[in-house]
Amino acid sequence: MKKDFLLLTVALPSLLIASPGFAAESEIEQINTDESTEIILDIPSLSEIELPVTNAELLTQQSAPSEVNPDQPETEQTPSDDADISIEVIAEPDNLPQSTPTYVIDKEEIQKQGATSLADILKRMPGFAINDVGHGADIHTGTYYRGASINQSVFLINGRPINNNVNTYHGGTDLNSIPVEAIERVELYSGTASALYGSSTFGGVVNIITKEGYGKPKLSASTEFGSLSLNNQQVTYGGSSDNVKYNFSFERFFTDNRYRVPVGAANRDEQGFLFNADTATSTYFSSIGVDLDKKNSLNLDVTALSSRRGLIYFGFPLQRDRLDHDGLNVGLSWKTRLGNGESSNLTTSIGYNQDYFSTYGPTGVSFYRRGSLDTQQLTARVDHEWRITYNNKLRWGLDLKNTDLIGDVFSTNPNSIAENEKEDRSLFNTALFAVNTWNISDNFLIDLGLRQTFDSQFGNYLNPSVGLRYAVTPIVAVRGSWAGAQRNPGLDQLYVYDTVHSWRPNPDLRPETGSTWSAGVDVNFSQNLIGQFTYFGSSIGDRLGVIAGRWENIGLVDTNGLEAALQLRIASGWSTFLNYTYTDAQIKTGTERGLQLGLIPYSVLQTGVGYENAGWQANLYVTYNSGARRSIFANSTDKPTDFAPSFVNLDLTGRIPLTTNLGLTVYLENLLGEQYERVNRIYSPGFTFRLGLSANF
C-alpha cells in the first residue's frame, strides 16, 4: 500500500497535465471593467441584482480578473476609497471546475426568506427536497438532493467536512448546527467538483461560507416571537482592525411545535396534538483572520452547538425518545501565494469535529433504553491551485481524516438486552485528488478529475470524473459531467445497535458504488431573463437500507431527473425566480422493484416574486410538492405504493423600516392554512407567523 501511495503521489498530477487550457469562471452575472469581464454565478433569488448591461457574451468562456497571466508581473491592487474594507482576501473566490454550475444563496436572500436553519436555506435551492415539519423540527425527517440522501452528499464549513460518519437515526448531519446569522452564503456544486471533496458525493457538495469581519466594528441583532411558542434571538459582532478581521455570532432558538394534527397522524397524543416535537438549540460561532503579509493569511473559526429536542419520526404508538446533540467544529487554515502573481495558491488546513448524540426514553411503561454515539474527527488538507500555463490550470492536493466512534447502548427490554454493549472503533482515510481544466478553444473547456482513496476499512479505490462546457453561441452554452463515487457504511451501521428502532448493525456491509452524470444548457434569453436547465442521473449499487431490523445492502437504485432554474428581472426593484425539479428514483431490485424510493417526491416547484425599495421589502414564495411515497406502513390497510397527497404552500415575508438602523420583520407561513402531510403521516402545523425586530449599530 505504501508503494502504491508513493507512486500515486507522483503520478496523479502528471496524469492530469496534458494540453493548454484555462479555467473560466462558471457564472451568470456579468460585470464589465476597464480591463476584463468577470462572471459570477448566482442561483435565482429575490435580491436586487445588477443584471448584464450588455447582451451576448454572458455565457462565453472568458478569463476573470483574478486569472492573471503568470508571465506578466503582478500589479498591486488599488485600495478602495473606503479604507475600512480594503483588507485583501487571498485565493478568493474558490476556483471550482467549470463544467457544472455553482448555485449560491447569499446573506441578503437568506434574510429575506426568514430562514431559521440551514434546512430552510437549502429548500429553496434547485434539486432539494426537505421534509421538515415546523420550525427547527426533528432533523431526521429526510433531506434529499437529486434523489440522494443527506449522507450521500458532502457538507462543508469553509471547505472543511462536517459529515461525521454517523448514518443512523441518531446522527444525520444536523442542518440546525450553524447560526444562520453567521452564514455569508451557501454554495452548491456537483459533477467534477466531487473529486475535490469526497468520493461519497452521489448528491452534491454543500459549502457553508461563514462571515468575516470588515470595516468598522458593527453590532447586529434580531429577535423574533411567533406561533408554536417560537422564541429566537440572534446577535453578531464583527469588524476589522489593521490586518485583523473578526466575527462573533450567537443564536438561541426554541419552539414547542405543539399543534393539532388529524386523526391517523404519527405521534398524535390523546388530546390530538403532535407529541414530543419541541426543539431548543444554542449555537455559537467565532472567526478571526489575520493577513500576515501580501502573500500569507491565517484564519481560525469555531462553531459550537447545544441542542435538545424530542424525536417525532414516524412513531406508532407515540415516539417518546429524546435526542441531545452537542457539537464542536474547529478549523485553522493558512493561505499563501507561491511565486510571483497569482499563478500558484496553496491552502493548508487542519480541523477538529466532535458530535455527541444521545437518545433516551421509555419503552412502553415497563422498560427504559438509551444510546449514545460520540464521534471525533481530525482532518488535514493541503490544496494547491497551480496555473501551469495561461491556458491550463491544475488543482490538486491531499486529504487526511481520522475518525473515532464510541457507541454505548443499553436497554432493559428483555428482547434487546443481548444487544447491550459499548463499541470503540477507529477509521483512517487518506485521499489524493486532482482536477485539471483545459481550454481546447476560446469556447470549449474540459475538466478531468481523479480521486484516489486509501481507507483502513475498505481498502484502496479510484474515482474518476470528467466534465465539459461549450459555448455554442454568445448566449447559449452546453455542459455535461460524469463522476464515479463510492460511499462507505458508517461505523455505527457496521458495529452499533440502534436502540430507538431496534436496528441491528452488520459488519459485513459493502460500500455503495456507482456514478452520477448531468447534461445541461445555460441560456441568456435577454438582459432580464436567465435560465439553467439540467438533466441529471445516478446509479447506486449495493444501496444501504434496513431489512427485517438489520442493516443490509438492499440493491440497485437508478435516478433520473430534470432541473430548471429561471431568474427574471421584471422592473426596477422587482425580481422573480422559478426552480423546478423532477426526480424519478426507482428501485431496481428486491421486493420493492419498480417503485419510487421512499420520501422523495417526483416534483418540487419553488417560485417567488419580490419587491424592494428604500428599505421596504415584500416577498411571496410558492411551493408545490407532488407528495412522496411513504416508507413506513404501520396500518393494516397501508400499501407499499401509497403516496402522501400533493400540496401547495404560500409564504409571505416582509420588512418595514422603522428608523435608519431598525426594521420590523414579518413572516407569514402557509397562508392557505392547509395542514398537509409532509411525509409518512407527519403533518405541517397549518398557518404560522413570526414577528421580529432587526437592528444594526
Side-chain angles (χ1 to χ4, degrees):
M1 176 176 170
K2 290 183 177 179
K3 183 178 179 181
D4 293 340
F5 185 95
L6 293 173
L7 286 173
L8 214 33
T9 305
V10 176
L12 192 56
S14 303
L15 288 172
L16 296 175
I17 303 173
S19 64
F22 75 89
E25 295 296 326
S26 168
E27 305 172 342
I28 286 187
E29 181 183 358
Q30 178 174 314
I31 303 174
N32 290 328
T33 67
D34 294 337
E35 297 180 355
S36 57
T37 301
E38 181 181 3
I39 302 176
I40 302 172
L41 176 73
D42 201 349
I43 74 159
S45 69
L46 298 181
S47 57
E48 287 268 1
I49 294 176
E50 289 294 328
L51 289 174
V53 295
T54 57
N55 55 12
E57 299 191 2
L58 171 67
L59 298 169
T60 56
Q61 304 300 319
Q62 303 180 56
S63 58
S66 60
E67 298 177 347
V68 178
N69 188 336
D71 298 330
Q72 296 177 353
E74 179 182 12
T75 57
E76 186 172 349
Q77 183 177 355
T78 303
S80 166
D81 292 337
D82 186 355
D84 291 329
I85 57 173
S86 62
I87 291 180
E88 188 176 9
V89 181
I90 294 179
E92 295 288 347
D94 194 11
N95 288 314
L96 295 165
Q98 308 303 307
S99 50
T100 53
T102 299
Y103 298 115
V104 178
I105 285 185
D106 60 22
K107 59 184 178 182
E108 288 80 13
E109 178 62 17
I110 293 171
Q111 181 269 324
K112 288 182 180 181
Q113 294 177 1
T116 58
S117 67
L118 180 60
D120 282 345
I121 299 172
L122 295 179
K123 70 183 182 182
R124 301 203 193 278
M125 299 186 88
F128 269 97
I130 296 181
N131 303 316
D132 58 348
V133 181
H135 303 296
D138 182 340
I139 63 176
H140 308 288
T141 47
T143 296
Y144 298 89
Y145 177 66
R146 292 181 176 178
S149 71
I150 191 171
N151 290 314
Q152 292 168 325
S153 298
V154 172
F155 284 76
L156 312 168
I157 296 180
N158 300 322
R160 296 190 321 277
I162 59 174
N163 301 71
N164 51 27
N165 200 248
V166 171
N167 295 266
T168 64
Y169 189 71
H170 296 74
T173 302
D174 191 340
L175 300 184
N176 299 279
S177 62
I178 303 165
V180 172
E181 184 63 29
I183 298 175
E184 176 72 20
R185 66 185 184 276
V186 176
E187 301 174 345
L188 170 63
Y189 20 90
S190 58
T192 316
S194 63
L196 297 174
Y197 294 109
S199 62
S200 61
T201 52
F202 287 103
V205 177
V206 177
N207 193 9
I208 305 149
I209 308 299
T210 56
K211 293 179 181 178
E212 295 180 331
Y214 291 101
K216 296 178 181 179
K218 184 173 71 172
L219 176 68
S220 359
S222 66
T223 183
E224 284 183 357
F225 299 91
S227 304
L228 313 179
S229 302
L230 184 142
N231 186 339
N232 184 18
Q233 290 83 40
Q234 300 187 42
V235 60
T236 293
Y237 179 74
S240 63
S241 175
D242 296 328
N243 61 337
V244 178
K245 50 197 174 188
Y246 50 88
N247 189 76
F248 307 97
S249 298
F250 168 75
E251 180 178 6
R252 176 187 176 275
F253 180 91
F254 172 79
T255 180
D256 66 6
N257 269 329
R258 181 169 170 79
Y259 52 88
R260 290 194 176 276
V261 291
V263 175
N267 250 52
R268 184 180 187 268
D269 66 14
E270 294 178 353
Q271 289 76 41
F273 288 88
L274 182 66
F275 176 77
N276 201 41
D278 58 292
T279 294
T281 61
S282 295
T283 49
Y284 308 82
F285 171 79
S286 62
S287 172
I288 300 177
V290 181
D291 289 338
L292 303 175
D293 53 40
K294 290 184 177 181
K295 291 190 175 184
N296 295 274
S297 68
L298 284 174
N299 192 84
L300 172 69
D301 62 79
V302 180
T303 306
L305 164 73
S306 178
S307 171
R308 305 291 180 263
R309 54 164 57 90
L311 294 180
I312 53 176
Y313 196 51
F314 315 127
F316 292 100
L318 290 182
Q319 177 74 268
R320 299 178 181 272
D321 292 83
R322 306 292 296 177
L323 170 65
D324 295 349
H325 177 201
D326 296 299
L328 176 65
N329 188 285
V330 182
L332 177 66
S333 63
W334 168 36
K335 298 181 180 181
T336 185
R337 290 193 178 109
L338 303 176
N340 297 321
E342 299 179 358
S343 61
S344 182
N345 295 314
L346 180 67
T347 302
T348 304
S349 61
I350 56 174
Y352 171 77
N353 187 40
Q354 181 181 26
D355 282 291
Y356 178 78
F357 291 92
S358 175
T359 59
Y360 50 92
T363 305
V365 294
S366 304
F367 308 119
Y368 177 83
R369 63 189 176 196
R370 61 172 172 79
S372 66
L373 295 172
D374 187 359
T375 306
Q376 298 187 60
Q377 280 187 346
L378 286 173
T379 61
R381 180 180 175 93
V382 178
D383 190 339
H384 184 207
E385 298 174 8
W386 179 23
R387 183 175 298 284
I388 304 166
T389 69
Y390 182 65
N391 294 328
N392 183 212
K393 183 176 67 178
L394 172 68
R395 183 172 175 182
W396 70 294
L398 171 70
D399 277 329
L400 301 173
K401 180 171 66 175
N402 186 80
T403 304
D404 294 312
L405 173 66
I406 298 176
D408 189 0
V409 298
F410 174 81
S411 176
T412 61
N413 189 329
N415 296 326
S416 303
I417 288 178
E419 305 292 345
N420 292 346
E421 63 173 346
K422 185 173 182 178
E423 291 280 352
D424 190 346
R425 299 284 178 168
S426 295
L427 180 69
F428 184 70
N429 184 285
T430 304
L432 289 167
F433 62 85
V435 175
N436 202 101
T437 299
W438 306 326
N439 193 61
I440 306 303
S441 69
D442 290 341
N443 300 323
F444 184 36
L445 65 82
I446 292 179
D447 295 314
L448 176 63
L450 292 175
R451 188 176 183 91
Q452 174 68 48
T453 303
F454 307 87
D455 190 276
S456 62
Q457 182 85 30
F458 294 100
N460 307 339
Y461 47 93
L462 177 68
N463 297 112
S465 59
V466 63
L468 59 86
R469 185 180 180 88
Y470 177 61
V472 182
T473 72
I475 62 173
V476 177
V478 296
R479 50 182 163 76
S481 66
W482 176 92
Q486 174 170 323
R487 187 179 79 93
N488 300 327
L491 290 173
D492 56 328
Q493 293 171 307
L494 293 166
Y495 304 113
V496 182
Y497 177 68
D498 181 355
T499 60
V500 175
H501 305 99
S502 301
W503 290 346
R504 302 187 307 278
N506 183 355
D508 298 322
L509 292 174
R510 299 180 300 277
E512 297 176 334
T513 57
S515 59
T516 65
W517 57 89
S518 69
V521 57
D522 301 332
V523 184
N524 181 24
F525 294 100
S526 69
Q527 281 186 286
N528 296 328
L529 178 60
I530 297 168
Q532 293 178 288
F533 307 91
T534 304
Y535 164 78
F536 61 86
S538 66
S539 181
I540 305 177
D542 282 330
R543 180 150 184 159
L544 296 171
V546 176
I547 299 178
R550 187 172 188 254
W551 282 103
E552 301 284 357
N553 294 100
I554 62 175
L556 177 67
V557 175
D558 282 349
T559 300
N560 292 276
L562 295 171
E563 185 180 280
L566 293 169
Q567 179 174 311
L568 173 65
R569 176 71 175 271
I570 305 172
S572 178
W574 289 87
S575 58
T576 187
F577 77 90
L578 184 148
N579 297 330
Y580 173 75
T581 304
Y582 174 82
T583 306
D584 181 9
Q586 190 173 123
I587 301 170
K588 292 295 187 179
T589 58
T591 58
E592 294 185 339
R593 181 179 179 179
L595 297 179
Q596 174 84 338
L597 201 63
L599 312 184
I600 301 175
Y602 279 112
S603 294
V604 175
L605 182 145
Q606 292 269 0
T607 186
V609 60
Y611 177 74
E612 181 175 8
N613 184 30
W616 293 76
Q617 293 178 7
N619 307 277
L620 178 66
Y621 299 94
V622 182
T623 300
Y624 167 77
N625 187 305
S626 65
R629 189 175 75 91
R630 299 187 179 115
S631 64
I632 301 294
F633 306 97
N635 300 326
S636 59
T637 57
D638 287 349
K639 299 177 182 178
T641 55
D642 286 350
F643 272 69
S646 62
F647 63 85
V648 175
N649 181 77
L650 273 69
D651 297 333
L652 179 65
T653 74
R655 184 181 187 275
I656 301 170
L658 302 178
T659 68
T660 304
N661 299 320
L662 184 66
L664 173 67
T665 56
V666 181
Y667 304 104
L668 306 177
E669 296 163 313
N670 196 353
L671 293 175
L672 299 178
E674 179 185 356
Q675 199 162 24
Y676 48 80
E677 180 183 349
R678 268 292 191 183
V679 60
N680 279 348
R681 294 191 173 88
I682 296 180
Y683 289 80
S684 71
F687 172 77
T688 60
F689 71 90
R690 288 181 285 148
L691 296 175
L693 292 173
S694 61
N696 295 302
F697 305 98

